[in-house]
């Protein structure tokens, strides 16, 4: 996506709506730019994380409030706002699930409160996993069999998360058209990721508690 | 004059102090001649300033070393560990309040107030006293007025209320905050500058009252925090307390003594001493006495025994390390270097545990007491416009969100999100013709709002009457580079805007800060003179005691004139108690020091003579 925007100060073409890298002017984008636009990228699911990280660090070097600490109020505010926009964009882009979530919404797909279901294949397993976690929580003894099963369960859920993200990648590559049923499927898979993240967090806490 | 030109080119924009406002000690540093330096008054090797305030029976509060010196003679009037109360209410601080010899109550906005020296003091005001002492120390070290602009460090795991309290303390001390920087991040700056290494670094910061661990990536001068975890209530203080409890359980001093603040304060100091000694010895003695109660109890503590007491605390620090690694999506072997910060990392068992956990020897070349202040001075140099070579990218330690229907939390900013940062979420009405919405801003990782910390509440009014679910209210969180939050809300169809500075639940209002500032202006001159006077008298007292002890043995070695000089100075200095003119007392002190110089020379034995040449009596 070419921004086709020019710097109001020097007229050169912009690679990000936050800053003119030619003349160093901090810009004031009228409408909040999308996470992809901030880095001058086309919206796609595939992302080169290494290149994106390098780009964010380079932009931070120009935008960060630390380097404008002695400027006037207006410039300081822009440095703060634009760095915040850059950081917020990177938070979405760098995380596979959040990037997918943003794309599904952007293409008019259902939000999580409009489509709460998980893919049907999960239902039975979720019951089983919940039971295992519940059992481990109930047994305080560190050497109980329920607690001993936590490590393999953790690994199993991690694998499941990787597989689910792979399915999401397939659903969103290339990006489906607006209104495509693939968006609903992607939302259901994202709901599964959310469940898995919560379960993994809980497992992490339980495993910490057993180590003492 | 090429040198001069170069100097102009490199002129640092605005000199900015780096202040480590610690639980037990504070330090101040400044960028000078191409590197950060800890500011110490001339002749003093230790740059630390005790974070303690002493309220004598009469007269103004004493801060720093004079306060610490008084704790042995008058332990019931000194307050330590003020940092533990910053941004906290009575309910949060129950356990810590037992160690404070003053009565505490809570203001209407949930700020703790201690009754001492005939008035009420908030932790913010007490911290401001310490910051003023820190600033005076900087002036003394520089020999001129120190900058009033400062970078102040806080534990990475400090929440919004604790950061806001630190900001208010600086305002009350009339310091301009250039930036609030996280302690482990500051340490990494000092470390990175010194070692010039790149890669992934873990900073393990076990201080007097708090524990932090931060994982950073250092690359091309950019110090990027990947994750941080910690506990704002876990530090060397807790280890002292564990020893205190051991002593109380075994010595059985009786209920009256066990709740006596002065007795406990003395015991706490004994425990601290024992702990420190156990870092260099296998065994130390814990001694408590209360002659008036005919109590004298002593017992030896072996290092092994102390390590057993230490274990649960150590485990909590390692749990934090595991959490930080998990959030950074890294395993321990990915960590290139481990840096130790904070006095508690001097304990051998702590070092060994960190080494086991990360599988590599931690760095401890830099003085763990000074590294945070040094890093703050580096950041001060950056913020003053002195360099663009270094850039610090930090994160927020805790998630921020709003309570939703049913008491759940909708998280707008996730923990470990880079700052500054912003997030917007849209809410709607749940009843027909609802014209206002209440918002409850919370911070923390738990799923339910009641389990998180309340930062504040606000109400958006003036929503046009619409059917339920039709109004759209956008709430925007903006977290600045200090980690401080601003919230705005706006109804999108009408543009009704409510800007709310979130008033921290356990914080001061702007109005209160203003009032305190006005009050302190009124008393400033008087307080300053009073405390200067008290400090001078203490110094004179110390010198007189030293003279009484050493003069008789050294008489033979001194010529008659010198002896007369010293004796006259002593007589005059004894009169210092009777005059309250600061200048006159200062002159007496200087005179005494000058007169006693020849004695100091005589006192040095032949071995020490070379090393101590030129030192003043007050330093020997």
């Amino acid at each position: 996506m070419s921004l086709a925007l020019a710097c109001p100060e020097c007229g050169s073409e912009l690679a990000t709506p936050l800053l003119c890298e030619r003349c160093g002017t901090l810009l004031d984008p009228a409408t909040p730019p999308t996470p992809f636009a901030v880095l001058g990228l086309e919206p796609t699911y595939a992302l080169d994380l290494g290149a994106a990280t390098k780009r964010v660090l380079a932009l931070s070097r120009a935008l960060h409030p630390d380097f404008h600490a002695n400027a006037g109020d207006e410039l300081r505010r822009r440095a703060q706002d634009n760095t915040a926009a850059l950081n917020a964009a990177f938070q979405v882009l760098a995380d596979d699930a959040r990037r997918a979530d943003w794309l599904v919404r952007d293409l008019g797909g259902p939000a999580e409160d409009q489509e709460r279901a998980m893919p049907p294949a999960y239902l039975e397993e979720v019951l089983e996993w919940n039971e295992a976690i519940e059992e481990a929580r109930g047994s305080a003894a560190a050497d109980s069999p329920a607690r001993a099963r936590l490590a393999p369960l953790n690994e199993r859920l991690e694998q499941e998360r990787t597989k689910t993200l792979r399915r999401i990648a397939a659903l969103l590559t290339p990006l489906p058209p607006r209104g495509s049923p693939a968006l609903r499927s992607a939302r259901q898979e994202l709901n599964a990721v959310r469940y898995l993240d919560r379960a993994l967090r809980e497992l992490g806490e339980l495993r910490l508690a057993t180590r003492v | 004059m090429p040198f001069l030109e170069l100097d102009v080119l490199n002129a640092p924009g605005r000199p900015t102090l780096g202040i480590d406002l610690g639980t037990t000690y504070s330090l101040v540093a400044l960028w000078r001649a191409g590197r950060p330096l800890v500011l110490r008054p001339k002749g003093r090797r230790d740059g630390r300033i005790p974070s303690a305030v002493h309220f004598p029976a009469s007269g103004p509060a004493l801060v720093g070393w004079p306060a610490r010196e008084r704790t042995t003679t008058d332990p019931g009037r000194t307050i330590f560990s003020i940092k533990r109360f910053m941004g906290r209410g009575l309910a949060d601080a129950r356990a810590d309040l037992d160690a404070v010899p003053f009565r505490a109550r809570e203001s209407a906005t949930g700020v703790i107030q201690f009754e001492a020296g005939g008035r009420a003091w908030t932790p913010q005001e007490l911290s401001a006293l310490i910051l003023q002492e820190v600033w005076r120390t900087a002036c003394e070290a520089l020999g001129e007025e120190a900058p009033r602009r400062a970078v102040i460090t806080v534990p990475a795991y400090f929440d919004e209320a604790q950061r806001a309290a630190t900001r208010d303390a600086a305002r009350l001390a009339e310091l301009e905050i250039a930036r609030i920087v996280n302690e482990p991040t500051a340490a990494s700056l000092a470390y990175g500058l010194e070692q010039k290494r790149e890669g992934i670094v873990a900073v393990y910061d076990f201080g007097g009252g708090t524990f932090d661990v931060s994982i950073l990536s250092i690359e091309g001068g950019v110090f990027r925090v990947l994750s941080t975890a910690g506990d704002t209530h876990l530090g060397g203080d807790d280890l002292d307390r564990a020893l205190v409890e051991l002593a109380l359980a075994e010595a059985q001093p009786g209920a009256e003594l066990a709740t006596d603040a002065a007795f406990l304060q003395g015991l706490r100091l004994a425990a601290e001493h024992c702990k420190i000694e156990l870092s260099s010895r296998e065994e130390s003695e814990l001694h408590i006495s209360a002659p008036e109660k005919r109590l004298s109890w002593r017992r030896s503590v072996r290092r092994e025994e102390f390590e057993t007491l230490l274990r649960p605390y150590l485990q909590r620090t390692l749990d934090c390390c595991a959490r930080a690694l998990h959030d950074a999506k890294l395993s321990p072997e990915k960590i290139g270097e481990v840096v130790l910060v904070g006095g508690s990392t001097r304990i051998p068992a702590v070092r060994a545990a960190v080494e086991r956990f990360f599988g590599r020897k931690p760095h401890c070349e830099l003085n763990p007491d000074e590294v945070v202040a040094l890093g703050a001075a580096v950041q001060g140099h950056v913020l003053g416009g002195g360099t663009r070579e270094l850039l610090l990218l930090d994160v927020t330690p805790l998630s921020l969100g709003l309570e939703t229907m049913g008491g759940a939390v909708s998280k707008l900013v996730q923990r470990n999100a880079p700052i500054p940062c912003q997030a917007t979420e849209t809410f709607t009405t749940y009843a027909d013709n609802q014209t206002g919405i209440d918002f409850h801003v919370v911070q923390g990782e738990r799923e339910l709002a009641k389990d998180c910390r309340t930062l504040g509440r606000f109400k958006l009014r003036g929503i046009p009457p619409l059917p339920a679910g039709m109004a759209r209210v956008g709430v925007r969180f903006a977290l600045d580079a200090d980690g401080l939050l601003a919230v705005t809300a706006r109804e999108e169809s009408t543009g009704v805007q409510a800007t709310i500075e979130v008033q921290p639940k356990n914080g001061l209002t702007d109005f209160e800060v203003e009032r305190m500032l006005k009050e302190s202006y009124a008393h400033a001159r008087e307080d300053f003179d009073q405390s200067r006077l008290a400090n001078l008298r203490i110094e004179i007292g110390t010198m007189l005691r030293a003279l009484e002890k050493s003069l008789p043995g050294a008489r033979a070695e001194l010529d008659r004139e010198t002896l007369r000089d010293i004796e006259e100075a002593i007589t005059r200095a004894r009169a210092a108690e009777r005059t309250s003119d600061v200048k006159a007392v200062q002159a007496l002190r200087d005179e005494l020091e000058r007169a006693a110089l020849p004695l100091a020379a005589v006192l040095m034995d032949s071995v020490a003579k070379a090393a101590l040449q030129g030192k003043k009596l007050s330093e020997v």
Side-chain angles (χ1 to χ4, degrees):
Chain A
M1 176 177 61
S2 164
L3 288 159
L5 281 174
C7 170
E9 296 296 322
C10 75
S12 51
E13 198 179 322
L14 298 173
T16 170
L18 303 179
L19 166 80
C20 172
E21 287 162 280
R22 174 76 57 82
C23 70
T25 305
L26 303 197
L27 304 172
D28 196 359
T31 50
T34 73
F36 289 95
V38 163
L39 293 197
L41 298 170
E42 294 283 351
T44 54
Y45 179 79
L47 181 97
D48 180 345
L49 185 60
T53 307
K54 277 212 166 63
R55 182 87 180 112
V56 168
L57 295 188
L59 290 175
S60 292
R61 273 200 169 279
L63 289 173
H64 200 276
D66 280 6
F67 295 147
H68 302 278
N70 303 306
D73 286 350
E74 170 61 17
L75 191 54
R76 286 216 315 272
R77 187 192 60 76
R78 265 193 214 182
Q80 169 116 345
D81 285 356
N82 288 5
T83 304
L86 177 68
N87 286 337
F90 191 56
Q91 286 276 103
V92 172
L93 295 181
D95 184 298
D96 292 341
R98 291 185 68 178
R99 191 168 70 249
D101 171 76
W102 188 89
L103 288 167
V104 169
R105 281 169 204 269
D106 188 54
L107 291 167
E112 67 258 20
D113 53 353
Q114 292 161 329
E115 173 60 60
R116 294 168 187 273
M118 279 194 254
Y122 269 95
L123 293 179
E124 213 161 298
E125 282 181 301
V126 162
L127 287 177
E128 192 186 306
W129 294 333
N130 283 346
E131 207 170 304
I133 293 172
E134 209 47 59
E135 211 179 309
R137 195 186 294 129
S139 47
D143 53 355
S144 74
R147 295 245 163 178
R149 282 196 291 270
L150 288 181
L153 179 59
N154 195 76
E155 199 168 316
R156 169 95 176 76
L157 296 189
E158 290 281 10
Q159 281 168 4
E160 202 56 53
R161 191 178 188 281
T162 310
K163 275 197 266 174
T164 311
L165 280 170
R166 219 174 283 148
R167 284 197 295 274
I168 291 172
L171 284 165
L172 298 179
T173 314
L175 281 185
R178 297 184 75 86
S180 155
L183 294 172
R184 178 165 301 274
S185 306
R187 172 58 64 199
Q188 293 185 352
E189 299 284 2
L190 280 170
N191 289 341
V193 172
R194 246 182 2 147
Y195 164 81
L196 288 166
D197 282 341
R198 192 171 306 150
L200 280 165
R201 198 167 54 233
E202 214 159 308
L203 276 179
E205 298 295 325
L206 280 172
R207 292 177 69 195
L208 276 181
T210 54
R211 262 185 342 110
V212 185
Chain B
M1 296 259 290
F3 178 74
L4 244 180
E5 275 175 33
L6 201 72
D7 216 22
V8 171
L9 281 176
N10 290 332
R14 302 169 66 186
T16 305
L17 295 175
I19 299 177
D20 173 5
L21 179 60
T23 308
T24 41
Y25 290 100
S26 297
L27 281 98
V28 54
L30 182 66
W31 185 276
R32 302 218 96 185
R35 55 180 311 187
L37 282 177
V38 170
L39 299 181
R40 314 168 165 81
K42 225 164 91 197
R44 210 189 287 164
R45 283 201 5 243
D46 192 348
R48 299 179 304 169
I49 301 153
S51 302
V53 180
H54 178 86
F55 293 94
S58 69
L62 300 174
V63 188
W65 287 110
R68 174 128 184 142
E69 270 163 28
R70 289 284 172 103
T71 53
T72 39
T73 53
D74 191 6
R77 295 177 176 278
T78 309
I79 179 163
F80 293 97
S81 300
I82 294 150
K83 195 171 174 179
R84 289 198 161 197
F85 304 103
M86 294 286 269
R88 290 288 170 263
L90 279 181
D92 304 312
R94 280 280 163 234
D96 294 316
L97 286 170
D98 293 344
V100 178
F102 304 108
R103 238 203 346 215
R105 52 197 167 82
E106 203 178 73
S107 77
T109 49
V111 179
I112 294 177
Q113 292 173 316
F114 299 105
E115 281 172 50
R119 54 165 283 196
W121 296 84
T122 62
Q124 286 88 330
E125 290 168 286
L126 293 169
S127 295
L129 289 180
I130 294 167
L131 285 171
Q132 280 167 345
E133 180 66 23
V134 165
W135 184 77
R136 276 198 292 271
T137 304
C139 294
E140 208 179 315
L142 292 168
E144 61 183 33
E145 172 141 347
R148 285 220 167 256
R149 207 164 101 111
V151 168
I152 299 185
T153 62
V154 297
Y157 221 59
F158 251 23
D159 66 24
E160 165 81 16
Q162 292 167 307
R163 282 167 203 269
T166 306
R167 177 199 59 197
D168 291 341
R171 279 169 70 191
L172 291 172
E174 293 179 80
L175 292 175
E176 178 201 341
I177 287 209
R179 180 62 42 83
I180 293 175
V181 172
N182 293 328
E183 285 158 11
T185 320
S188 79
L189 265 183
Y191 161 82
L193 200 73
E194 192 78 15
Q195 303 282 321
K196 305 216 173 353
R197 292 215 194 128
E198 306 223 313
I200 308 280
V201 173
V203 182
Y204 178 98
D205 180 357
F206 198 7
T210 58
F211 173 75
D212 282 321
V213 55
S214 290
I215 314 284
L216 292 105
S217 139
I218 306 178
E219 198 188 327
V222 181
F223 290 64
R224 183 163 60 109
V225 180
L226 302 176
S227 68
T228 191
D231 191 326
T232 55
H233 226 193
L234 174 59
D237 278 6
D238 293 295
L239 311 181
D240 300 343
R241 195 169 303 152
L243 283 170
V244 165
E245 259 145 40
L246 173 86
L248 288 178
E250 290 184 11
Q252 297 285 343
E256 198 188 326
L257 268 181
T259 53
D260 180 67
F263 172 75
L264 287 176
Q265 200 74 282
L267 178 51
R268 202 193 63 79
L269 286 171
E272 185 189 353
H273 181 75
C274 173
K275 171 189 77 177
I276 290 171
E277 214 166 59
L278 284 171
S279 286
S280 54
R281 289 205 222 157
E282 283 300 321
E283 198 165 323
S284 171
E285 193 158 81
L286 189 52
H287 177 211
I288 61 177
S289 73
E292 70 280 13
K293 296 275 189 261
R294 292 161 173 261
L295 174 73
S296 176
W297 174 91
R298 60 181 71 228
R299 141 209 230 286
S300 79
V301 181
R302 278 171 301 115
R303 185 187 277 185
E304 220 179 80
E305 211 175 341
F306 174 61
E307 286 172 0
T308 311
L309 290 176
L310 170 71
R311 198 161 298 141
Y313 299 102
L314 198 47
Q315 184 60 52
R316 274 164 66 194
T317 71
L318 297 179
D319 290 348
C320 290
C321 293
R323 202 162 293 145
L325 280 174
H326 177 265
D327 282 359
K329 302 192 178 78
L330 293 170
S331 52
E333 61 279 5
K334 288 276 162 36
I335 303 296
E337 311 279 347
V338 181
V339 180
L340 295 182
V341 184
S344 302
T345 61
R346 290 209 170 86
I347 299 170
V350 171
R351 293 189 171 189
V354 173
E355 183 174 344
R356 260 198 318 279
F357 183 88
F358 288 104
R360 63 180 55 245
K361 250 202 161 19
H363 277 276
C364 26
E365 298 92 346
L366 291 169
N367 181 337
D369 292 324
E370 296 186 347
V371 61
V372 169
L374 291 171
V378 176
Q379 179 67 356
H381 181 55
V382 173
L383 289 166
T387 179
R388 289 184 77 115
E389 295 295 304
L390 297 169
L391 174 60
L392 206 78
L393 301 176
D394 218 325
V395 300
T396 179
L398 296 156
S399 302
L400 286 161
L402 287 165
E403 180 171 354
T404 59
M405 289 293 292
V409 178
S410 166
K411 283 182 185 162
L412 272 80
V413 177
Q414 302 286 337
R415 72 159 184 260
N416 290 320
I419 52 172
C421 150
Q422 61 191 22
T424 308
E425 187 148 320
T426 308
F427 291 82
T428 189
T429 47
Y430 55 90
D432 289 341
N433 302 323
Q434 183 182 343
T435 57
I437 301 183
D438 290 305
F439 290 100
H440 178 197
V441 184
V442 296
Q443 186 166 35
E445 305 313 314
R446 305 285 295 278
E447 308 252 331
L448 295 179
K450 69 176 174 58
D451 298 324
C452 292
R453 174 162 283 271
T454 293
L455 292 184
R457 295 170 190 274
F458 66 91
K459 191 182 187 94
L460 180 76
R461 293 171 206 279
I463 299 171
L466 289 166
M470 291 302 286
R472 297 181 63 76
V473 177
V475 178
R476 180 172 181 268
F477 277 26
L479 209 52
D480 68 16
D482 294 326
L484 292 168
L485 176 70
V487 182
T488 47
R490 191 183 161 87
E491 201 288 310
E492 283 165 6
S493 66
T494 56
V496 170
Q497 177 133 6
T499 304
I500 321 91
E501 190 183 328
V502 176
Q503 204 49 259
K505 195 178 119 212
N506 303 112
L508 301 174
T509 61
D510 276 343
F511 179 74
E512 283 172 308
V513 172
E514 290 301 321
R515 181 176 52 74
M516 287 171 178
L517 265 174
K518 275 196 200 115
E519 282 170 8
S520 71
Y521 286 138
H523 296 297
R525 187 73 239 167
E526 185 187 327
D527 281 0
F528 184 80
D529 283 354
Q530 288 292 323
S531 81
R532 183 81 201 120
L533 199 60
N535 281 343
L536 286 169
R537 283 181 179 152
I538 287 171
E539 276 182 57
I540 290 175
T542 311
M543 285 195 256
L544 286 175
R545 277 195 300 281
L547 282 169
E548 274 163 26
K549 221 162 78 187
S550 53
L551 192 57
R555 291 187 88 92
E557 313 258 345
L558 295 164
D559 60 68
R560 202 142 29 110
E561 208 169 311
T562 310
L563 254 178
R564 200 187 53 222
D565 234 23
I566 296 178
E567 278 165 353
E568 280 178 15
I570 290 178
T571 315
R572 278 198 299 275
R574 287 220 169 94
E577 289 294 333
R578 290 194 296 275
T579 167
S580 52
D581 176 4
V582 180
K583 282 207 180 107
V585 177
Q586 174 83 50
L588 290 173
R589 181 213 161 276
D590 293 347
E591 167 64 16
L592 184 62
E593 182 167 85
R594 193 198 52 74
L597 266 178
L599 173 63
V602 166
L603 289 176
M604 297 170 202
D605 57 51
S606 56
V607 184
K609 196 158 188 166
L612 291 176
Q613 201 84 54
K615 286 228 168 175
K616 295 172 188 163
L617 177 65
S618 54
E619 295 152 2
V620 177

